[in-house]
Amino acid sequence: MIIGIAHLFTQTKENIAKLRGVKLTGFIDDQEVYRVYNRAAQICALDTVLHQHRKQFANKLNLLQGKDALYHKLLTKYQWPMSEIKALSLSDCLLALHDELQIEGLPGEVSEYLNQVLRMQYPVNFPDYLEE
């Protein structure tokens, strides 16, 4: 599992840096790199929560892939109409699942890895969420 979360974090971090135009090597802006790491950890936490949800609810007829897992998670948690769930932004979804997106509440190896990665990161975040 540790290899999986390390790979997921690295890919997520690189994707966020690319989308945001943040350099991770060479002459870097520390604050921007901290923001990339913190957002990558947040997205990895969401991916972990959705992976656990898939393990509990997915079946051979519906694997709950991609956004379907997020929609199903919100549907089972809040019983909101599907039209309202699909209209939510990523920011809205993360806020709705905030109580579950705590590093300490994630499975052991995931929690340990993310704590280790964020140990030296200053807690700053991007002010917005890119839907990409």
Side-chain angles (χ1 to χ4, degrees), residues 41-71:
Q42 185 180 36
I43 299 300
C44 286
L46 176 61
D47 281 343
T48 301
V49 166
L50 294 179
H51 175 72
Q52 292 175 306
H53 186 77
R54 280 185 200 99
K55 284 179 19 182
Q56 183 177 358
F57 291 100
N59 60 53
K60 291 179 181 182
L61 300 177
N62 189 344
L63 301 175
L64 297 176
Q65 295 180 329
K67 285 186 177 182
D68 286 346
L70 178 60
Y71 296 156

Side-chain angles (χ1 to χ4, degrees), residues 4-114:
I5 189 63
H7 180 72
L8 176 64
F9 180 83
T10 299
Q11 294 298 322
T12 304
K13 172 187 70 171
E14 290 172 2
N15 188 43
I16 291 168
K18 181 180 176 184
L19 289 170
R20 296 278 183 169
V22 176
K23 289 177 58 175
L24 297 175
T25 59
F27 184 72
I28 61 170
D29 179 338
D30 288 342
Q31 294 294 310
E32 290 297 299
V33 171
Y34 296 159
R35 286 182 176 96
V36 168
Y37 273 68
N38 289 327
R39 181 58 50 82
Q42 185 180 36
I43 299 300
C44 286
L46 176 61
D47 281 343
T48 301
V49 166
L50 294 179
H51 175 72
Q52 292 175 306
H53 186 77
R54 280 185 200 99
K55 284 179 19 182
Q56 183 177 358
F57 291 100
N59 60 53
K60 291 179 181 182
L61 300 177
N62 189 344
L63 301 175
L64 297 176
Q65 295 180 329
K67 285 186 177 182
D68 286 346
L70 178 60
Y71 296 156
H72 190 266
K73 173 76 176 166
L74 293 169
L75 183 65
T76 58
K77 183 170 183 163
Y78 295 110
Q79 292 86 42
W80 294 334
M82 187 59 73
S83 59
E84 289 182 25
I85 291 172
K86 287 185 175 186
L88 294 172
S89 66
L90 176 59
S91 176
D92 295 337
C93 293
L94 291 168
L95 184 59
L97 296 174
H98 177 76
D99 60 318
E100 296 184 51
L101 299 177
Q102 307 297 319
I103 291 175
E104 297 75 23
L106 300 173
E109 289 182 347
V110 174
S111 177
E112 289 172 23
Y113 180 81
L114 293 178

